[in-house]
Amino acid sequence: MNKKVLVIDDEETIRKFIKIQLGKAGYEVKEAADGEQGMVQLKRDRFDVLICDIMMPKKSGWEVLREVRSNPETSEIPVIFLTAKNEDDDMFKGYEQGVTYYITKPFTKSQLLFGLNTIFDKKKNSLY
Amino acid sequence: MEDQNKKKILSLRWTAIIVTSYLIIFGKGKIAHIDLGHLFILVYILSNLLLIFIPQKWFSNLKFFYSLVLIDTGIVSLGMFLSEKVTTDFYLVFFFILIFASMSRNYKLLMIISGVTASLYGILLYSWGLLNSEQGISYIIRIPFIFIMAAFYGYIVQTFSKEKQRQLAISEDKYRGLFENANDGIIILRNSPLQIADVNREVERLTGCEREKLLQKDAMDLFAMSDREKALSFFEEVINKGEGRTDTLSLIRKDGESFEVDLSIKRIDLEDESFFQVIFRDLTEQRKLEKKIRESKRNLEAIFDGIRDQLSIQAPDYRILRVNMAVIGKYHTTFQELIARKCYEAYHQKTLPCEKCPVTMTIETKQPSSSIMKIPEDDSTLRVFSYPILDEKGNLSSVIEYTHDITEEQRLHEQLIQSEKLAGIGILASGIAHEINNPLSGIIGMAETSLEEEDISTIRSYLTDILNCGQRISEIVKGLRSYSRIAKQEEQNLIDMNDVLEESLKMVRLAVKTGEVEVAKNFQPIDKVVANLGEIQQVFTNLITNAFQATDGKGGILTLSTRSLRDSVEVKVSDNGMGIPQKYLSHIFDPFFTTKKTGEGTGLGLNIVYRIVTKYGGTIDVKSKEGLGTTFTLRFPTRRDEA
């Protein structure tokens, strides 16, 4: 069964790029244009990974992260943050609060796939 | 006065001598009587010639004067008797009566003497056999007559004299009262030896000794041991000069404590004795007061000198009256070198008052003033305050110049502005990174995806995405150019905000779809503001555009209003649109903060507005309620600080 990915980003082109590339890699991709829409999707569906922008209208990536981690049903979902800022402070804060992986904008197809592979390899390892 | 007394007495006597001599010489008496009469006249004339040589001051002596009058009365009476011109002896009797009456101070004695005299007269009459003569009765009557008349005149004289004494006593009481109740201590001293003759109550109070004890003391006992020598030499000086005054001498109290007095002495010469009147005033209270004044003066001076900022007090002609230690320290000088010199000469080596000096302002207006002065000599910046000191009539008596060195403050302030600018650039840079990285991600990602794609129409759609992203980056870069324009010092003019609002409204209507939005204008006549026209236009077009967009066209009302405040003008841009959610209000001026959809706004508009308004020293304030509308209130100062 294909792994399900939810992409939350207000930049339509980025969502489109991720959807095409992950689709080719065998993931099932759903989109949300902001944090609120993302939360609606998360409640409706079960996802294997969440790719989320930080600076977004209505609900920021931080708020999404907090809600995901505080809900027992979603607390174990790996979260990849897409950041345009590339600042160390942001990253440390993110890891402390439960971000699984960081991808800095702008990014390429291989950076995206490497991130996902890292997460799922880790998960695989932890099962053994 | 004394001279006149003598002349009067001498001339009266000459008259009496002439009259008596006439009576004697041309009287009917016998030869023997005439011889005695001639002798009498001679004696009388001689006595008057003798009087000429008697010193004048004797005549002002009452005892001498009265005895002279008494003797003369007797002499004249005797002369008349000897002349036998006046046949009766009754006048002689009358003179006796007068003599007795004049002695009537002791009324009992008068009675006795007049009784004895009356009896003696009776015996004399009897021995002369007059009582048995034909006129016996008239002689007998004379005996009680002498007594009664003496008693009568004696009584009158005594009554007058008693009244006089009473008045004397009243007057004495009055002076005694003045003496006793004086606020100063008064001591009357007898001369040689210096013994205390009288003291008033203040002396008793101050020394703590009773009057009786004081009267037994020597004058020197009153002074504190340490001051006795000084007191003694002072008394000697007074004895020679008649009066004198010292600054202070210490007197001693009963309990041995000494107290300072201000003491003056005057010699008073009476006929028979001279006295010293010593008046002194207790200085204890005055000393306390002086001490308090000294202390408060010292305190004020300590405060004055303790202030580390320079304080200089100038007369209205700029002459320095006083300075504090900070001034002395600053100019490495002394008080003597500064005093009475003009401040601009002494402090700045100038020949005229400094330009923009607040002291000049205060001298002209009598109002406080202040200004910031750059001192090129030592590259310092001073904030100078000046305050008027007015006299009771409201005239300017002097000016306080208070100088606070703000060189360091100014430097820090500039640093702060610089670092704020840097921080602003930092925020901007990170904002730019975010804003550009998003579409850049799209471009890179879609380009990468295109390279993998074979189908030309799919590639075409990807290229459209890439183009959109590229255009958005271009928009952002355009927005950034506004920043560099704010930073530049461009031409500034006096501009009327009302005109600029009208212009901006027109421009926005051309560029943005304004739909059916109603525009309400409430412009009041306002002062002009010095600013760059383009920048103010940018502010208003941004705000008006936002307002139009917020109303979304349907039944919207945009209100533009202006009014004049005390030293600023106020501009309000108000809409009844969707409003800004509470949680965004604190971020709306942040660069790249936007609630608009991606691509619709850069998030730089309000930040640019903010930067421009604050650049002119203005303020911008926002009030908003979701669903009700938003009001931006801008205030521009009409008179900008020189600093």
Side-chain angles (χ1 to χ4, degrees), chain B residues 31-48:
Chain B
I31 297 298
H33 284 138
I34 292 166
D35 284 346
L36 198 62
H38 287 149
L39 191 70
F40 171 82
I41 293 165
L42 196 68
V43 171
Y44 204 5
I45 292 169
L46 279 176
S47 78
N48 213 25

Side-chain angles (χ1 to χ4, degrees), chain A residues 4 42 46-50 64-80 97-101 119-120 122-123 126-127:
Chain A
K4 279 176 92 174
L42 275 167
R46 203 197 56 81
F47 291 96
D48 296 298
V49 67
L50 186 61
V64 172
L65 177 71
R66 211 175 306 124
E67 285 182 35
V68 167
R69 287 285 174 260
S70 58
N71 183 349
E73 281 183 33
T74 57
S75 63
E76 293 300 317
I77 299 175
V79 175
I80 298 175
Q97 296 193 5
V99 175
T100 323
Y101 193 78
I119 288 168
F120 291 117
K122 262 188 200 164
K123 274 206 119 175
S126 70
L127 286 171

Side-chain angles (χ1 to χ4, degrees), chain B residues 563-614:
Chain B
R563 62 175 178 144
S564 243
L565 298 175
R566 206 157 63 92
D567 42 17
S568 63
V569 296
E570 188 182 82
V571 177
K572 276 189 180 181
V573 177
S574 188
D575 66 65
N576 64 344
M578 62 178 94
I580 304 165
Q582 187 67 33
K583 58 175 176 176
Y584 296 148
L585 271 180
S586 57
H587 296 294
I588 57 168
F589 296 116
D590 293 350
F592 299 110
F593 180 88
T594 182
T595 56
K596 291 171 186 169
K597 283 183 199 139
T598 307
E600 276 183 14
T602 57
L604 291 175
L606 283 180
N607 183 252
I608 288 168
V609 166
Y610 181 80
R611 279 172 180 260
I612 292 170
V613 172
T614 51

Side-chain angles (χ1 to χ4, degrees), chain B residues 97-245:
Chain B
I97 292 166
L98 286 180
I99 289 162
F100 294 148
S102 72
M103 299 191 306
S104 65
R105 188 167 296 183
N106 190 330
Y107 196 65
K108 273 184 193 162
L109 190 66
L110 169 68
M111 290 301 202
I112 293 163
I113 290 172
S114 49
V116 170
T117 311
S119 313
L120 282 173
Y121 185 65
I123 292 165
L124 204 64
L125 290 178
Y126 178 75
S127 67
W128 286 344
L130 288 172
L131 296 181
N132 301 325
S133 69
E134 287 165 25
Q135 292 105 2
I137 299 292
S138 72
Y139 282 110
I140 288 168
I141 289 170
R142 288 181 189 183
I143 297 161
F145 180 77
I146 290 172
F147 182 76
I148 290 163
M149 287 311 281
F152 177 67
Y153 281 106
Y155 176 74
I156 291 171
V157 170
Q158 200 197 27
T159 309
F160 276 114
S161 112
K162 265 190 180 165
E163 174 62 21
K164 209 175 164 188
Q165 271 177 17
R166 201 177 66 83
Q167 276 174 1
L168 204 67
I170 290 170
S171 135
E172 160 128 20
D173 269 359
K174 204 160 80 187
Y175 286 105
R176 185 83 213 169
L178 289 176
F179 172 77
E180 286 292 359
N181 296 316
N183 281 331
D184 292 336
I186 304 173
I187 303 176
I188 308 293
L189 294 178
R190 265 186 212 97
N191 196 359
S192 56
L194 288 169
Q195 257 180 345
I196 298 171
D198 203 353
V199 295
N200 71 349
R201 265 181 237 143
E202 182 70 0
V203 179
E204 289 182 278
R205 193 182 71 80
L206 289 174
T207 58
C209 287
E210 280 160 21
R211 183 188 166 81
E212 284 69 34
K213 282 192 180 157
L214 282 167
L215 293 187
Q216 290 163 11
K217 284 192 177 184
D218 186 83
M220 280 304 130
D221 295 340
L222 291 171
F223 294 96
M225 286 303 268
S226 54
D227 266 10
R228 281 191 190 166
E229 216 165 298
K230 191 177 164 190
L232 205 61
S233 66
F234 176 52
F235 271 95
E236 273 165 15
E237 189 194 318
V238 175
I239 290 167
N240 294 331
K241 275 180 23 187
E243 62 182 358
R245 185 189 179 91

Side-chain angles (χ1 to χ4, degrees), chain B residues 498-563:
Chain B
N498 291 341
D499 295 347
V500 185
L501 274 170
E502 288 279 14
E503 278 299 308
S504 305
L505 184 65
K506 269 185 217 161
M507 281 164 62
V508 175
R509 279 187 154 150
L510 289 174
V512 185
K513 268 201 253 169
T514 55
E516 290 160 28
V517 177
E518 189 189 317
V519 178
K521 282 178 271 185
N522 178 18
F523 294 168
Q524 287 180 12
I526 46 171
D527 290 335
K528 290 186 174 177
V529 173
V530 177
N532 176 265
L533 180 65
E535 286 180 347
I536 301 299
Q537 254 172 0
Q538 201 174 356
V539 168
F540 293 156
T541 48
N542 272 332
L543 292 175
I544 293 168
T545 306
N546 283 351
F548 275 128
Q549 287 171 346
T551 53
D552 219 10
K554 288 159 277 178
I557 301 169
L558 165 68
T559 311
L560 301 176
S561 57
T562 59
R563 62 175 178 144

Side-chain angles (χ1 to χ4, degrees), chain A residues 4-121:
Chain A
K4 279 176 92 174
V5 180
L6 176 64
V7 180
I8 312 174
D9 198 312
D10 57 332
E11 182 72 46
E12 195 192 343
T13 320
I14 292 176
R15 292 200 305 271
K16 191 173 173 183
F17 164 60
I18 292 173
K19 189 173 182 174
I20 292 168
Q21 291 302 343
L22 292 191
K24 284 183 185 171
Y27 291 93
E28 189 188 336
V29 180
K30 296 266 171 158
E31 295 174 55
D34 58 54
E36 272 178 16
Q37 282 184 31
M39 289 314 296
V40 173
Q41 297 251 27
L42 275 167
K43 272 170 198 152
R44 200 189 295 151
D45 236 331
R46 203 197 56 81
F47 291 96
D48 296 298
V49 67
L50 186 61
I51 299 175
C52 184
D53 186 23
I54 296 174
M55 277 172 71
M56 288 181 297
K58 292 186 181 168
K59 204 166 254 179
S60 75
W62 297 112
E63 285 168 285
V64 172
L65 177 71
R66 211 175 306 124
E67 285 182 35
V68 167
R69 287 285 174 260
S70 58
N71 183 349
E73 281 183 33
T74 57
S75 63
E76 293 300 317
I77 299 175
V79 175
I80 298 175
F81 259 12
L82 295 175
T83 169
K85 278 192 177 171
N86 190 18
E87 280 177 7
D88 292 347
D89 278 356
D90 254 12
M91 284 204 186
F92 287 124
K93 185 182 161 196
Y95 286 128
E96 271 171 25
Q97 296 193 5
V99 175
T100 323
Y101 193 78
Y102 263 104
I103 295 174
T104 307
K105 289 180 185 174
F107 56 92
T108 57
K109 174 183 109 185
S110 46
Q111 282 169 329
L112 179 66
L113 292 175
F114 180 79
L116 284 164
N117 289 339
T118 313
I119 288 168
F120 291 117
D121 284 349

